[in-house]
C-alpha cells in the first residue's frame, strides 16, 4: 500500500510545481487532479490571509506579547511610574515602538524616546505604522553603540520570551547580559518587567544587588510578574 501511494505521488506531484497565480502550460493541463489546480477562489483566500497576517503584524497586541491593549498599556504604566517627567527613555525590546504611542496618549506630552529591537519585522512594522515619527533601531543590543545613552533603559516584558537563536546562553545569563547592557546605556538606571515563572525574583534580586547595588523589586503589577529597578 505504501509503495502504491508513493507511486501516485510521483505521478501526480512532479518536482517542478508551478506557483499559484501562474498559468499551467497547455501540455501539462490534465496531469493533476482538478482539485489540485489553482483556483481564483483560493487566490482570493491566500490574499486575504496575507492581508490579515500583515494587519496582525502592524496592529495586533498579541504580536508583541499581550492579550489586549489594556493589558499592554497597564504594563507600560507600571514601568513609567518609576520615570520622572522629562526623562529620556531607551526601550530594549521595543517591538513596534508602541510605548511612544502609549506615552503620548496617556500623558498628553512627548518623550525623548529611542526603541531598539532584534526583530527586524517588528521594527519595519513600527516604521510603517508610525510613519518614521518614532525613533526605532534594528540592532543587537549587546553590541549597541556605546555613545547611545538615555536617562532610563526599560525592558517591558520582552525578556520573558526569547527570540534570539543563541542556544548556548541560558535564560538567566541572557537576562543578566541584557541588564548589563541596559546599565551601560543608562544615566539614571533601568527598569525591567519580568515573569516570576521564568525568572525567580529572589535570585534576580540577589544577583542584581551583588552586581550593582541600589536595587528594588515591585510585585504590585500582578501575582506572576514583577518590576526590577536598578538605580545608578
Amino acid at each position: 500500500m505504501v509503495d502504491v501511494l508513493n507511486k501516485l505521488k510521483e505521478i501526480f506531484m512532479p518536482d517542478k510545481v508551478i506557483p499559484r497565480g501562474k498559468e499551467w502550460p497547455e501540455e501539462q493541463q490534465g496531469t493533476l487532479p482538478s482539485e489540485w489546480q489553482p483556483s481564483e477562489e483560493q487566490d482570493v483566500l491566500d490574499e486575504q490571509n496575507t492581508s490579515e497576517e500583515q494587519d496582525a503584524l502592524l496592529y495586533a497586541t498579541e504580536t508583541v506579547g499581550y492579550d489586549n491593549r489594556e493589558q499592554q498599556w497597564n504594563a507600560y504604566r507600571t514601568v513609567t511610574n518609576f520615570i520622572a517627567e522629562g526623562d529620556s527613555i531607551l526601550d530594549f525590546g521595543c517591538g513596534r515602538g508602541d510605548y511612544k504611542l502609549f506615552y503620548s496618549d496617556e500623558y498628553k506630552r512627548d518623550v525623548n524616546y529611542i526603541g531598539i529591537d532584534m526583530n527586524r519585522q517588528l521594527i519595519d512594522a513600527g516604521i510603517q505604522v508610525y510613519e518614521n515619527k518614532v525613533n526605532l533601531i534594528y540592532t543587537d543590543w549587546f553590541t549597541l553603540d556605546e555613545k547611545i545613552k538615555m536617562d532610563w533603559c526599560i525592558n517591558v516584558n520582552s525578556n520573558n520570551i526569547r527570540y534570539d537563536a543563541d542556544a548556548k546562553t541560558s535564560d538567566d545569563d541572557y537576562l543578566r547580559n541584557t541588564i548589563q547592557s541596559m546599565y551601560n546605556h543608562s544615566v539614571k538606571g533601568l527598569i525591567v518587567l519580568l515573569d516570576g515563572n521564568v525568572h525567580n525574583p529572589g535570585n534576580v534580586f540577589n544577583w542584581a544587588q551583588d552586581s550593582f547595588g541600589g536595587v528594588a523589586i515591585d510585585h504590585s503589577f500582578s501575582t506572576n510578574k514583577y518590576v526590577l529597578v536598578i538605580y545608578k
Side-chain angles (χ1 to χ4, degrees):
M1 186 63 171
V2 174
D3 291 338
V4 173
L5 290 174
N6 289 336
K7 188 63 176 178
L8 288 172
K9 288 180 180 179
E10 292 176 4
I11 296 173
F12 293 118
M13 301 179 68
D15 292 334
K16 295 182 179 179
V17 178
I18 298 177
R20 291 193 179 279
K22 302 292 185 180
E23 293 185 0
W24 294 84
E26 291 184 3
E27 62 271 16
Q28 292 190 18
Q29 294 292 334
T31 59
L32 297 177
S34 60
E35 62 269 21
W36 290 2
Q37 297 279 2
S39 65
E40 292 183 4
E41 292 83 359
Q42 184 61 52
D43 288 341
V44 170
L45 288 175
D46 289 346
E47 290 177 3
Q48 289 176 346
N49 290 337
T50 300
S51 177
E52 289 174 359
E53 290 171 359
Q54 181 65 14
D55 285 346
L57 181 64
L58 296 175
Y59 306 110
T61 58
E62 292 84 357
T63 302
V64 288
Y66 301 93
D67 294 334
N68 52 63
R69 186 70 68 190
E70 185 61 24
Q71 185 186 76
Q72 183 182 11
W73 265 210
N74 281 338
Y76 292 162
R77 287 187 188 102
T78 300
V79 168
T80 310
N81 285 336
F82 296 93
I83 301 173
E85 180 179 348
D87 284 354
S88 58
I89 296 172
L90 178 58
D91 188 355
F92 280 60
C94 66
R96 294 178 299 239
D98 293 343
Y99 182 90
K100 181 76 181 295
L101 172 65
F102 153 80
Y103 195 98
S104 299
D105 181 64
E106 185 84 358
Y107 301 102
K108 310 306 178 186
R109 60 178 182 264
D110 199 12
V111 59
N112 185 3
Y113 172 89
I114 299 176
I116 59 175
D117 205 295
M118 300 183 189
N119 188 315
R120 182 62 176 268
Q121 280 189 308
L122 289 178
I123 290 293
D124 288 345
I127 290 172
Q128 180 177 342
V129 169
Y130 300 119
E131 300 177 337
N132 276 315
K133 295 177 181 178
V134 179
N135 192 353
L136 301 174
I137 304 173
Y138 166 62
T139 186
D140 180 344
W141 57 64
F142 298 124
T143 58
L144 186 64
D145 187 336
E146 62 181 14
K147 296 179 182 178
I148 298 178
K149 286 192 176 184
M150 304 291 262
D151 291 326
W152 290 93
C153 288
I154 65 173
N155 188 298
V156 190
N157 215 33
S158 73
N159 246 95
N160 298 319
I161 300 176
R162 289 175 59 177
Y163 297 97
D164 65 297
D166 183 359
K168 296 181 180 179
T169 304
S170 68
D171 290 344
D172 288 341
D173 286 340
Y174 184 83
L175 173 63
R176 292 170 181 173
N177 293 341
T178 297
I179 289 175
Q180 183 64 64
S181 181
M182 295 173 70
Y183 191 86
N184 295 341
H185 291 278
S186 67
V187 176
K188 295 185 177 182
L190 62 98
I191 307 164
V192 188
L193 178 61
L194 295 170
D195 189 330
N197 296 319
V198 180
H199 301 289
N200 181 277
N203 293 341
V204 171
F205 178 85
N206 291 334
W207 168 80
Q209 184 69 44
D210 292 341
S211 301
F212 306 104
V215 178
I217 282 189
D218 180 4
H219 290 275
S220 63
F221 178 69
S222 74
T223 55
N224 295 326
K225 294 185 179 181
Y226 62 96
V227 179
L228 172 73
V229 184
I230 300 178
Y231 299 93
K232 294 187 78 169

